[in-house]
Amino acid sequence: MQRANSRSRIEAALHRAEICLAACLLGWSAPLLAQDFPPNVSNPDQAITDWRYNDPVFFWRLASQPEDPFEPPDWFYWPDAVIEGAPAPFLPQVEQGRETISPAALRDMEAWAEARKSNVLIVIHKGQVLLERYWNDTRPDQLLNGRAISRSVTPMVLGFAAEDGKLSLDDPIGKFITEWQEDPRGKISIRQLAQNVSGLEVARQMPADQIEGNKDLCLVYCGDVVRAALAYDLVTAPGTRFEVAQENMQLLALVIERATGTPIQTLVSRHIWQPMGGSNATFQFDRPGGTARTMCCMRATARDWTRLGVLLANQGKWQGRQVVPASWIATMATPSARNANFGLGLWLGSPFVEMRGYFEGQPGVIPQSEPFLADDVRIMEGGGFRIVHAVPSQELVIFRHGQFVDDWDTAFLVNTAIRGMQKGKRR
């Protein structure tokens, strides 16, 4: 019944959009009756311009929702904002018998991941591939949705804009988001956006069939993601509360694009993807030829997500080439004032917390059974426990992609690998 009600509401909304569009094409030449207007809209010009009634991309996405909106099929990501790559060979495979992590530990990691609905597990140690496994028909060349892992990519590019003098981390975002020059939101600093202490609201979750006031729905489905991101209100003083608000990273990308005059997908390609030898990856455009969505759901191959981890573990280097400045990697990994487990677009494994949280003052959601066996674990993390672990002190990178499971333990893969190194040393 709930699905039927949801579908009927969507169909009604589509019908209202068709009425509005038809009237627009006719130039409102026919007399309008009260029922010809959308509910609560008495001004036909408002109905024409309001995204709730006149955004064909939004209504296509709304009416075409896949069965599982968190794991949509490839076609639903249309249109692609391509991050052009320059494919180069991946890291070398370790020779059998020369593993630097014990085979027993690698088997334990593989079995644990397989039992927890994983699609991919890749383990890199000392620049070599020790383990690379795929399940559920996942392929090495397949583009995988990183979900919130995407939010660590834009902050990497931020460093280049800062190094080139295009912006400063303490600049107010109103310097670039001119729509907010005279607005209190314009005083938020770029650093505060990147550290998730902007003070912008975390919109309350609403069902997809409820369009009125559903800001997050518009952020992920609307054909104008800039307008959607600018709709969020300031609810706390900037710098006083850590909250992972989705719009933060979308606004950060907007700042970078306006400061540099270059689309974010071009910057990622130029500064990161091609220098590290990645294959083509994609953000999603909000509409054909529009603006890239960066707050979620960038897609890349498993090996390319792993390459990003190698950059984090190697102080920005890929096989001896400095891709991201080492000083910027250090900046990203410096704990922020409001959350010691978050730096600048990057999660940090120390200090230990049993349930790491996304919202200050609320219960945590990321379970961990024990402290990491290294103090410098750096984490790129997305929904469903898809995760990149990078441990510089151990020359270790682990990428896991898969589905949500109830018995996840963030410490297991990293600590099993490190314990396997220790056993290897004693043999």
Side-chain angles (χ1 to χ4, degrees):
M1 180 63 71
Q2 185 177 1
R3 183 180 293 273
N5 289 340
S6 174
R7 182 172 294 277
S8 66
R9 291 177 188 172
I10 293 172
E11 289 174 349
L14 286 167
H15 180 63
R16 291 197 297 270
E18 290 166 357
I19 292 173
C20 183
L21 182 58
C24 179
L25 293 173
L26 291 171
W28 297 99
S29 58
L32 287 169
L33 302 175
Q35 62 265 31
D36 290 325
F37 294 114
N40 303 318
V41 177
S42 58
N43 180 346
D45 291 330
Q46 179 184 347
I48 292 170
T49 58
D50 193 322
W51 66 267
R52 292 170 295 175
Y53 309 104
N54 192 35
D55 184 340
V57 175
F58 170 75
F59 280 106
W60 174 81
R61 288 181 177 136
L62 191 65
S64 305
Q65 286 187 83
E67 183 176 348
D68 184 352
F70 295 106
E71 302 294 344
D74 288 346
W75 58 262
F76 193 72
Y77 293 98
W78 170 91
D80 288 338
V82 177
I83 300 166
E84 297 286 348
F90 194 46
L91 296 170
Q93 185 79 32
V94 70
E95 294 181 21
Q96 188 173 1
R98 304 180 74 88
E99 296 88 351
T100 50
I101 297 174
S102 72
L106 294 171
R107 287 193 297 270
D108 287 347
M109 295 169 70
E110 180 179 345
W112 189 88
E114 183 176 14
R116 285 160 181 79
K117 300 181 180 179
S118 296
N119 298 324
V120 181
L121 179 65
I122 298 178
V123 180
I124 308 295
H125 189 227
K126 295 184 179 295
Q128 292 185 302
V129 180
L130 271 63
L131 178 65
E132 184 173 6
R133 280 297 312 272
Y134 297 84
W135 296 277
N136 305 319
D137 298 321
T138 308
R139 306 183 311 276
D141 63 346
Q142 184 175 343
L143 295 181
L144 302 176
N145 179 0
R147 289 177 64 174
I149 294 178
S150 315
R151 298 176 194 164
S152 293
V153 176
T154 298
M156 278 192 179
V157 178
L158 175 62
F160 292 95
E163 186 179 61
D164 291 343
K166 302 294 186 181
L167 52 77
S168 168
L169 292 184
D170 294 316
D171 281 341
I173 62 175
K175 180 177 179 180
F176 307 98
I177 302 178
T178 54
E179 298 91 334
W180 285 356
Q181 278 185 342
E182 305 302 324
D183 188 294
R185 292 172 291 184
K187 296 181 180 179
I188 299 167
S189 74
I190 295 173
R191 188 190 306 273
Q192 288 166 340
L193 269 187
Q195 292 184 336
N196 282 317
V197 291
S198 66
L200 294 171
E201 67 181 308
V202 176
R204 65 187 181 91
Q205 293 186 348
M206 302 169 66
D209 62 304
Q210 185 173 342
I211 299 175
E212 181 74 28
N214 198 338
K215 295 184 179 182
D216 280 355
L217 181 66
C218 189
L219 190 68
V220 299
Y221 279 2
C222 275
D224 186 346
V225 73
V226 173
R227 182 199 61 231
L230 294 176
Y232 289 81
D233 296 324
L234 189 68
V235 294
T236 59
T240 63
R241 187 177 181 84
F242 176 85
E243 292 186 309
V244 181
Q246 288 197 90
E247 67 273 13
N248 286 342
M249 289 303 147
Q250 191 64 50
L251 291 167
L252 182 64
L254 178 61
V255 166
I256 295 169
E257 288 187 332
R258 291 187 176 179
T260 62
T262 308
I264 194 73
Q265 67 271 17
T266 302
L267 293 171
V268 174
S269 170
R270 178 186 303 162
H271 291 299
I272 299 174
W273 230 252
Q274 293 195 23
M276 74 176 189
S279 301
N280 283 7
T282 69
F283 290 116
Q284 182 197 48
F285 273 136
D286 55 359
R287 62 188 181 279
T291 300
R293 276 190 171 84
T294 60
M295 80 290 175
C296 180
C297 307
M298 176 180 159
R299 294 185 300 150
T301 68
R303 289 178 173 179
D304 287 346
W305 287 124
T306 305
R307 288 174 196 258
L308 291 179
V310 172
L311 293 181
L312 294 176
N314 290 350
Q315 313 307 326
K317 289 184 179 180
W318 173 261
Q319 294 188 315
R321 177 180 181 179
Q322 195 73 50
V323 175
V324 181
S327 59
W328 185 251
I329 296 293
T331 296
M332 292 181 67
T334 299
S336 55
R338 296 299 307 183
N339 189 339
N341 289 116
F342 195 82
L344 196 150
L346 192 65
W347 292 96
L348 307 175
S350 297
F352 167 64
V353 288
E354 291 184 354
M355 293 290 288
R356 179 158 45 81
Y358 283 6
F359 307 103
E360 188 173 335
Q362 295 187 22
V365 294
I366 306 298
Q368 186 170 332
S369 65
E370 62 177 350
F372 287 116
L373 296 178
D375 293 331
D376 59 342
V377 177
R378 299 166 178 178
I379 304 169
M380 301 171 66
E381 187 170 77
F385 302 122
R386 57 204 72 193
I387 194 165
V388 179
H389 282 122
V391 192
S393 65
Q394 306 297 318
E395 300 180 71
L396 175 68
V397 176
I398 301 172
F399 171 63
R400 182 267 181 184
H401 187 279
Q403 301 177 39
F404 174 87
V405 290
D406 291 326
D407 60 344
W408 183 259
D409 176 8
T410 299
F412 182 87
L413 292 171
V414 171
N415 284 357
T416 301
I418 294 176
R419 289 186 174 111
M421 297 176 203
Q422 295 170 343
K423 289 180 180 178
K425 290 176 181 178
R426 286 197 295 268
R427 287 185 303 173

